[in-house]
Amino acid sequence: STLFPYTTLFRSLDGAQIRIIYNGVDTSRFVPPTAIQRQQARERLGFAADDLVVGMVAGFRPEKNHDVFFAALGAVAAAVPQLKVLLVGGGPLLEHYRAQLATVELGARTRFAGDVTDVLPYLWAMDIGCLTPGSNEGFSNAVIEQMAAGLPLVVSDIGGNAEAVEEGSSGFVVAPGEPALTAAG
């Protein structure tokens, strides 16, 4: 094929010749924050030292399942009065979710950062990272950046999330589309 000149070559490779190369993260830059960096990141966003900040870095698109994330946090909010929510990302559903959360109690605890050029200070403000896609996820840079910044994760078992997050050690892997399981994680 003129569009895919390497098709014949790829078909001739055996499994021993194929290597998986995962996404990478700059671990000299993405590091856990010092106490001062953490304090400054939280203060800049209006979070108190004793707040429990749960965050998600993801575009506001249908496959990211922000509705599952919000349902899970809504289920635990009454039991965790210090719960705060930090969302980083833009996208076609951002204004939809801003409007939806403005009508519920969880909205008063939520900060929408929008698209940012440097995600690291936002990660430093978080206590727990989440990614709850229901479909269409590869090996997520957001997940490995959060892990490199020292965050435990709650992720849905989609794409490479379960390969990155070691169940019970670096976080929890839950069934996709299950707010109750996400909340329990």
Side-chain angles (χ1 to χ4, degrees):
S1 163
T2 59
L3 292 176
F4 302 100
Y6 301 104
T7 302
T8 303
L9 172 65
F10 291 138
R11 287 184 184 152
S12 68
L13 294 176
D14 66 38
Q17 297 172 304
I18 298 173
R19 301 285 183 262
I20 297 173
I21 301 173
Y22 291 104
N23 294 351
V25 62
D26 181 354
T27 57
S28 66
R29 183 166 126 57
F30 283 86
V31 297
T34 64
I36 302 260
Q37 289 168 322
R38 178 179 166 77
Q39 176 187 351
Q40 290 172 341
R42 291 170 81 92
E43 286 176 355
R44 188 178 60 257
L45 293 165
F47 297 128
D50 65 340
D51 284 339
L52 175 66
V53 181
V54 178
M56 187 156 134
V57 178
F60 284 85
R61 298 185 313 269
E63 68 272 12
K64 296 300 183 182
N65 279 2
H66 283 84
D67 55 332
V68 171
F69 176 70
F70 294 131
L73 293 176
V76 300
V80 186
Q82 70 274 25
L83 175 70
K84 298 294 191 281
V85 182
L86 177 57
L87 298 153
V88 180
L93 295 176
L94 174 60
E95 293 309 317
H96 164 79
Y97 284 113
R98 278 187 204 253
Q100 180 182 10
L101 262 69
T103 66
V104 297
E105 191 275 332
L106 188 62
R109 301 181 187 203
T110 302
R111 306 280 183 281
F112 287 88
D115 277 326
V116 300
T117 56
D118 184 7
V119 71
L120 190 57
Y122 296 89
L123 301 181
W124 285 350
M126 295 178 192
D127 294 296
I128 301 170
C130 293
L131 189 63
T132 58
S135 64
N136 195 29
E137 191 68 40
F139 193 82
S140 172
N141 282 353
V143 167
I144 60 175
E145 288 171 352
Q146 290 173 64
M147 291 175 70
L151 294 172
L153 276 287
V154 177
V155 298
S156 55
D157 192 4
I158 294 291
N161 289 345
E163 291 179 75
V165 176
E166 185 179 342
E167 177 69 28
S169 177
S170 57
F172 297 95
V173 179
V174 299
E178 297 289 338
L181 294 175
T182 302

